[in-house]
Amino acid sequence: QVQLVESGGGSVQAGGSLRLSCTASGYTYSRRCMGWFRQAPGREREVVAGIVSGTSFTYYADSVKGRFTISQDNAKNTVYLQMNSLKPEDTAMYYCAAVGVAATFCPTRPDLYNYWGQGTQVTVSS
């Protein structure tokens, strides 16, 4: 059974930083896309960043480029999202997601991801 467990959310002031972690278990981690999505109240779930394990592929939404960094620790089956220069509009529930088949890129549509974590709340105050 595949499980994705997120941690690291919290409340910060604008300009602050947080690091989210997502650890996968029961999952073939190699050459798989793992992504971070977020969903604010009343809004659709949107992609934030993605990474293909064991490769150099990364993807960032335009709204977070230059501020967020996605990385991986293959030995720990863990993906991280370092979020710097946080803005109030970054406030949302953040979800880790994984694609169930080998990939060379990460899709941006949430319906193309097979597994999801429970989410971790990020709140940025002005």
Side-chain angles (χ1 to χ4, degrees):
Q1 183 177 355
V2 175
Q3 279 194 314
L4 303 179
V5 179
E6 303 113 327
S7 62
S11 298
V12 295
Q13 291 193 326
S17 298
L18 285 172
R19 188 177 82 154
L20 306 182
S21 300
C22 173
T23 299
S25 61
Y27 176 66
T28 302
Y29 187 73
S30 177
R31 295 293 191 269
R32 297 292 197 271
C33 167
M34 293 187 71
W36 286 98
F37 287 76
R38 66 186 181 187
Q39 188 167 19
R43 301 191 66 176
E44 292 186 353
R45 191 167 297 190
E46 62 177 2
V47 67
V48 175
I51 189 167
V52 176
S53 57
T55 77
S56 60
F57 177 89
T58 57
Y59 167 85
Y60 296 95
D62 287 343
S63 58
V64 306
K65 280 181 182 176
R67 300 188 297 123
F68 291 10
T69 302
I70 191 169
S71 62
Q72 59 188 314
D73 184 332
N74 294 330
K76 297 181 179 180
N77 282 7
T78 299
V79 173
Y80 303 98
L81 186 67
Q82 178 67 44
M83 305 185 294
N84 298 329
S85 302
L86 282 161
K87 305 175 181 180
E89 51 263 43
D90 294 318
T91 295
M93 185 72 79
Y94 282 70
Y95 297 92
C96 175
V99 175
V101 295
T104 56
F105 69 98
C106 285
T108 58
R109 287 169 42 190
D111 63 310
L112 296 180
Y113 287 75
N114 303 97
Y115 308 106
W116 290 85
Q118 80 285 356
T120 186
Q121 179 68 37
V122 171
T123 302
V124 185
S125 57
S126 58

